[in-house]
């Protein structure tokens, strides 16, 4: 099987001749359970005339990345996620998926055109069910229960013990599969940072379960490298998988990152938290972070807060 290109942009894919096939890495969860983040999809370059309902079309949104969604109608082509969330009109069809390969499987699973009716029917059933408010509330309740304190001991036995370590360049694929869409990371950004800024002066840490799967992530970096006028190194991007929440991994990731900053000779580190994020506010305060001086608060609010969203609170921690 051919390896996927390091970064397949919409322009690169659209430049391929019709009929050309290429492997694309999937980042995101919009086609669960059919496709998981990190899967490889074999796509063939084609146009709208080759697309039928039930296909998984590779489309280009306006000013956006490549997206693979289920075709719900043609003339013009309309696409949606597996749960029925529709894409905005005007997307350009670039190809369709013809096979998928999942880590751990020795072969690729074909997506034959004869299977389009079954996929289309499954999508319609799931989308109609998810459109029901009662179904959505029930699904949210189940997800909340799965991450609650009541299930924490069981989850600790099932997925632990957990290892927290510094991430290296070879962890880029696993990091993208875990956090790429949720944190809006691109493959180029992750590979560049793991080879560069996340080695020094910054750092990135991951939490892994007993099977070696990434279940938590945090990095420390400079906002200035992204054109944001805030000085110092900031703890950012804290993310823990739902199945591993409530097991102390967020604190362990922050402790490991602060320890790395201390080893590098830093005297102060910073972080920012939205004022409606009560769990994160409680965590950073418990770890010795205090609210930054007014001048830094104003700068953080100016640079990081978005119109109509809750206020951002900047914190700092003096390192012994």
């Amino acid at each position: 099987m051919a390896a996927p290109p390091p970064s397949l942009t919409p322009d690169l894919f659209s430049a391929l001749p019709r009929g050309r096939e290429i492997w694309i890495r999937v980042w995101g969860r919009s086609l669960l359970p059919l496709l998981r983040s990190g899967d490889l999809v074999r796509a063939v370059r084609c146009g709208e005339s080759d697309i039928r309902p039930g296909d998984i079309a590779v489309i280009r949104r306006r000013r956006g990345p490549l997206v693979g969604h289920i075709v719900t109608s043609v003339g013009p082509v309309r696409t949606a996620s597996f749960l029925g969330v529709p894409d905005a009109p005007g997307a350009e069809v670039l190809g369709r998926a013809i096979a998928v390969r999942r880590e751990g499987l020795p072969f690729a699973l074909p997506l034959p055109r004869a299977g389009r009716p079954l996929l289309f029917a499954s999508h319609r059933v799931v989308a109609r069910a998810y459109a029901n408010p009662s179904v959505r509330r029930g699904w949210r309740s189940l997800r909340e229960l799965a991450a609650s304190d009541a299930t924490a001991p069981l989850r600790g036995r099932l997925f632990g013990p957990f290892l927290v370590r510094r991430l290296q360049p070879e962890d880029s694929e696993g990091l993208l599969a875990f956090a790429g869409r949720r944190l809006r990371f691109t493959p180029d950004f992750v590979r560049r940072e793991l080879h560069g800024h996340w080695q020094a002066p910054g750092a990135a840490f991951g939490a892994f379960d007993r099977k070696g799967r990434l279940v938590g992530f945090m990095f420390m970096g400079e906002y200035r490298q992204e054109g944001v006028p805030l000085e110092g190194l900031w703890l950012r991007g804290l993310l823990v998988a739902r199945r591993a929440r409530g097991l102390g991994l967020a604190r362990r990731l922050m402790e490991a990152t602060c320890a790395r900053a201390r080893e590098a000779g830093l005297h102060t580190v910073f972080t920012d938290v939205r004022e409606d994020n009560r769990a994160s506010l409680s965590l950073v305060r418990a770890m010795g972070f205090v609210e930054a001086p007014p001048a830094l608060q104003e700068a953080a609010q100016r640079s990081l807060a978005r119109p109509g969203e809750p206020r951002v609170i900047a914190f700092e921690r003096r390192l012994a």
Side-chain angles (χ1 to χ4, degrees):
M1 180 185 66
S7 180
L8 183 63
T9 65
D11 289 337
L12 177 60
F13 189 50
S14 63
L16 295 176
R18 296 291 180 94
R20 173 73 181 276
E21 298 178 3
I22 191 170
W23 287 98
I24 303 173
R25 182 79 68 177
V26 174
W27 311 123
R29 303 160 57 87
S30 62
L31 285 185
L32 277 174
L34 182 63
L35 296 177
R36 298 187 310 192
S37 190
D39 285 350
L40 280 170
V41 166
R42 191 164 185 82
V44 59
R45 177 76 173 90
C46 68
E48 284 197 22
S49 60
D50 301 309
I51 295 295
R52 299 291 183 272
D55 279 334
I56 297 177
V58 180
I59 62 174
R60 169 166 55 181
R61 293 169 172 165
R62 294 175 181 173
R63 300 181 299 278
L66 290 172
V67 176
H69 274 176
I70 295 174
V71 177
T72 58
S73 63
V74 295
V77 170
R78 293 285 186 264
T79 55
S81 70
F82 192 71
L83 292 179
V85 180
D87 293 306
E92 179 186 3
V93 175
L94 298 179
R96 64 180 179 87
I98 58 175
V100 59
R101 181 152 189 174
R102 183 161 293 169
E103 184 178 356
L105 292 180
F107 53 85
L109 298 173
L111 298 172
R113 307 210 79 171
R116 290 180 309 192
L118 177 60
L119 178 57
F120 183 67
S122 301
H123 159 72
R124 291 291 296 272
V125 169
V126 172
R128 286 175 178 173
Y130 195 71
N132 187 313
S134 298
V135 171
R136 290 200 301 273
R137 284 195 299 269
W139 176 242
R140 283 195 295 268
S141 297
L142 286 175
R143 296 185 69 193
E144 291 170 0
L145 176 62
S148 67
D149 292 341
T151 61
L154 176 61
R155 289 184 285 115
R157 290 193 296 271
L158 286 175
F159 304 118
F162 298 94
L163 169 68
V164 173
R165 65 167 175 83
R166 194 171 177 189
L167 296 180
Q168 301 299 324
E170 56 267 24
D171 295 310
S172 61
E173 298 296 333
L175 176 56
L176 280 165
F178 170 66
R181 286 302 183 197
R182 283 175 274 191
L183 295 179
R184 301 187 183 278
F185 286 163
T186 65
D188 282 344
F189 174 82
V190 167
R191 294 186 183 101
R192 182 176 66 248
E193 295 302 288
L194 281 173
H195 279 91
H197 297 144
W198 289 350
Q199 296 302 317
F205 283 84
F208 296 81
D209 67 12
R210 68 196 315 168
K211 293 185 177 180
R213 296 172 299 191
L214 197 63
V215 293
F217 169 71
M218 164 168 267
F219 75 96
M220 176 176 65
E222 296 177 317
Y223 271 118
R224 291 179 305 171
Q225 293 167 348
E226 301 171 31
V228 178
L230 291 174
E231 299 295 323
L233 283 172
W234 293 68
L235 276 59
R236 303 168 54 194
L238 178 61
L239 181 65
V240 177
R242 186 174 297 273
R243 66 178 182 276
R245 291 177 187 171
L247 302 178
L249 291 184
R251 186 183 187 98
R252 288 179 61 186
L253 285 166
M254 292 194 72
E255 287 174 343
T257 310
C258 288
R260 169 60 189 162
R262 192 178 298 113
E263 292 170 4
L266 296 177
H267 299 292
T268 307
V269 291
F270 305 89
T271 192
D272 55 277
V273 183
R274 284 184 11 167
E275 65 179 355
D276 62 337
N277 191 340
R278 291 180 295 177
S280 293
L281 289 173
S282 176
L283 174 62
V284 298
R285 286 169 173 149
M287 293 193 61
F289 284 83
V290 297
E291 293 192 20
L296 183 55
Q297 295 288 357
E298 293 175 7
Q301 183 69 16
R302 231 177 10 250
S303 302
L304 304 177
R306 297 178 180 176
E309 292 188 354
R311 186 172 67 95
V312 169
I313 303 176
F315 290 87
E316 63 180 18
R317 179 183 175 183
R318 302 286 180 176
L319 301 176

